[in-house]
């Protein structure tokens, strides 16, 4: 049994709003699946169906080989969920909140204390353990919310924008902690708006827009497919970029020529390799020496914008 999540033709309507409109995808065990899309695309709604919180309007969802509607209780026991909206008792201390969570999941006394100790350490919460939730900053609360989910063992974890409000160090800590558990066999369904996180963590990703999946592939595969334009950059030796503008301009075919540094020219092109060859030839012909060249791949952010805006 290789597949952890199987979603086929999932629809979820809120009245007349088709929040999820015919979505299908699979996630294998031990993989991280990234779910991206603009605000209101249907990410949280999909998570709510997959975590048994709401019933789908139509379609099939199977988790661990079991139907999500018929076997909700059984599935719930083996999953963890960090929802987008924070949920906790404001009056509880961090320590108490983690302990209660452990009790809720039936984690025995000693193990509960050990686990909490590890999480305080890992998520840098030691100093906050006797603070009440209401006294925490937004990022601190988010860290507690994610940490407490790890109080119990699970096979599948849903994280809905878990890094919102986290500083870069806390974000990296969280991603690394998740990564470590993935290596231990955990499967993760992850939403975020931050492309670097997808690149860092996800084996596969889908881009959803208006309830429909627009693209699905590995991050590298999507970059290749939708990358399109690449930037050609040439660093000159002993010459100023401005002085070679007249040589380069006729080759740029209308695209803007940038000067990111005094000795560097950059041109964007859909045929970057050809453009690079032509530029090198023209510069050589004019006896301009070249220090280095590069062709930069598109970022995932560019891919996202291309997919969501329907191509450029
Ligand atoms: N409880 C609800 N009642 C009615 N409509 C809803 C409800 N929850 C979500 N919607 C609508 O469903 C659509 C999808 O919302 P959803 O929360 O799934 O988006 P999202 O991709 O998670 O967005 P975000 O990035 O802002 O979190 C939106 O049009 C939203 O207005
Ligand atoms: Mg959401």
């Amino acid at each position: 049994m290789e597949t952890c999540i199987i979603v086929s033709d999932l629809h979820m309507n809120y009245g007349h709003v088709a929040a999820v409109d015919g979505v299908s995808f699979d996630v294998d065990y031990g993989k991280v699946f990234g779910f991206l899309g603009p605000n209101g695309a249907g990410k949280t709604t999909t998570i709510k169906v997959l975590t048994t919180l709401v019933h789908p309007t139509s379609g099939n969802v199977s988790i661990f080989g079991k139907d999500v509607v018929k076997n909700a209780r059984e599935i719930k026991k083996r999953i963890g969920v960090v929802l987008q909206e924070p949920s906790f008792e404001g009056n509880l201390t961090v320590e108490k909140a983690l302990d209660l969570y452990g009790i809720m999941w039936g984690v025995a006394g000693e193990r509960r204390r050990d686990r909490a100790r590890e999480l305080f350490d890992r998520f840098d919460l030691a100093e906050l353990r006797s603070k009440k939730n209401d006294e925490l900053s937004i990022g601190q609360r988010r860290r507690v919310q994610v940490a407490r989910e790890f109080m119990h063992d699970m096979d599948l974890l849903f994280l809905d924008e878990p890094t919102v409000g986290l500083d870069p160090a806390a974000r990296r800590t969280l991603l690394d902690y998740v990564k470590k558990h993935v290596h231990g066999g955990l499967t993760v369904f992850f939403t975020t708006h931050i492309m670097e996180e997808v690149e860092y963590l996800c084996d596969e990703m889908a881009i959803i827009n208006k309830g429909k999946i627009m693209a699905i592939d590995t991050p590298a595969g999507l970059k290749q497919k939708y990358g399109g334009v690449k930037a050609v950059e040439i660093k000159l030796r002993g010459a100023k970029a401005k002085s070679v503008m007249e040589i380069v301009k006729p080759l740029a075919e209308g695209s803007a020529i940038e000067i990111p540094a005094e000795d560097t020219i950059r041109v964007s092109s859909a045929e970057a390799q050809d453009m690079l060859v032509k530029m090198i030839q023209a510069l050589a012909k004019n006896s301009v020496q070249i220090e280095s060249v590069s062709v930069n791949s598109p970022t995932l952010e560019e891919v996202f914008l291309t997919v969501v805006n329907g191509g450029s």
Side-chain angles (χ1 to χ4, degrees):
M1 184 69 211
E2 291 279 306
T3 315
C4 181
I5 305 175
I6 303 173
V7 177
S8 66
D9 199 23
L10 176 66
H11 289 259
M12 177 69 211
N13 300 339
Y14 292 112
H16 294 301
V17 177
V20 177
D21 194 10
V23 158
S24 304
F25 61 88
D26 297 350
V27 183
D28 285 345
Y29 280 104
K31 300 284 182 205
V32 184
F33 188 79
F35 214 46
L36 279 93
N39 295 134
K43 303 181 296 294
T44 298
T45 305
T46 303
I47 286 193
K48 285 185 175 165
V49 174
L50 267 55
T51 55
T52 79
L53 294 174
V54 295
H55 281 187
T57 306
S58 67
N60 290 304
V61 179
S62 133
I63 309 253
F64 312 131
K66 297 181 188 343
D67 182 84
V68 86
V69 177
K70 292 186 195 131
N71 305 284
R73 276 175 66 136
E74 217 180 317
I75 290 169
K76 254 186 190 156
K77 279 188 205 153
R78 295 174 56 193
I79 63 175
V81 191
V82 175
L83 285 174
Q84 196 171 7
E85 310 109 55
S87 56
F88 27 53
E89 286 289 327
N91 246 335
L92 283 182
T93 62
V94 171
E95 188 159 31
K96 195 79 194 151
L98 257 65
D99 196 50
L100 269 181
Y101 218 68
I103 292 173
M104 219 176 77
W105 283 102
V107 183
E110 192 56 33
R111 251 169 70 86
R112 224 165 53 229
R113 275 183 290 279
D114 286 350
R115 190 62 71 89
R117 215 171 294 134
E118 188 212 336
L119 292 169
F120 284 140
D121 190 36
R122 286 282 177 167
F123 285 85
D124 207 13
L125 298 171
E127 281 174 23
L128 306 175
R129 60 202 293 167
S130 51
K131 279 208 172 186
K132 288 179 181 164
N133 250 315
D134 278 347
E135 300 164 352
L136 302 180
S137 74
I138 291 169
Q140 288 168 339
R141 271 181 222 183
R142 198 72 182 142
R143 262 154 56 196
V144 172
Q145 206 189 341
V146 175
R148 81 176 176 183
E149 212 49 53
F150 283 95
M151 280 300 288
H152 72 105
D153 293 323
M154 57 206 151
D155 297 309
L156 170 60
L157 174 61
F158 292 89
L159 296 167
D160 198 357
E161 297 186 32
T163 57
V164 169
L166 297 198
D167 65 55
R171 178 176 293 162
R172 181 52 72 93
T173 300
L174 166 64
L175 297 181
D176 283 343
Y177 194 70
V178 171
K179 224 177 196 181
K180 187 187 119 188
H181 281 263
V182 170
H183 289 146
L186 181 70
T187 308
V188 176
F189 186 97
F190 174 75
T191 80
T192 179
H193 290 288
I194 302 170
M195 303 299 140
E196 290 86 4
E197 293 183 355
V198 177
E199 218 152 14
Y200 190 67
L201 202 62
C202 299
D203 298 292
E204 214 177 359
M205 62 182 277
I207 297 178
I208 181 173
N209 192 22
K210 296 181 183 149
K212 292 184 195 297
I213 288 187
M214 312 301 291
I216 190 162
D217 206 332
T218 59
L222 278 189
K223 279 206 288 193
Q224 208 168 27
K225 214 181 288 176
Y226 294 94
V229 175
K230 293 183 183 178
V232 174
E233 219 170 86
I234 299 183
K235 190 171 183 250
L236 308 170
R237 187 184 295 160
K240 292 223 157 67
K242 267 190 191 155
S243 69
V244 302
M245 281 302 260
E246 292 312 311
I247 303 169
V248 174
K249 226 182 228 163
L251 305 172
E253 294 154 4
S255 29
I257 304 171
E258 296 166 80
I259 303 184
E262 226 183 17
D263 60 353
T264 307
I265 42 173
R266 184 197 290 148
V267 185
S268 293
S269 167
E271 271 95 41
Q273 299 293 345
D274 288 352
M275 166 80 73
L276 181 64
V277 171
K278 277 194 227 161
M279 282 173 60
I280 291 173
Q281 282 170 345
L283 290 169
K285 214 166 130 191
N286 288 278
S287 308
V288 181
Q289 291 196 32
I290 294 168
E291 179 77 36
S292 61
V293 299
S294 68
V295 177
N296 296 323
S297 296
T299 63
L300 265 186
E301 186 136 340
E302 286 160 350
V303 171
F304 179 85
L305 291 171
T306 304
V307 172
V308 168
N309 296 331
S312 57

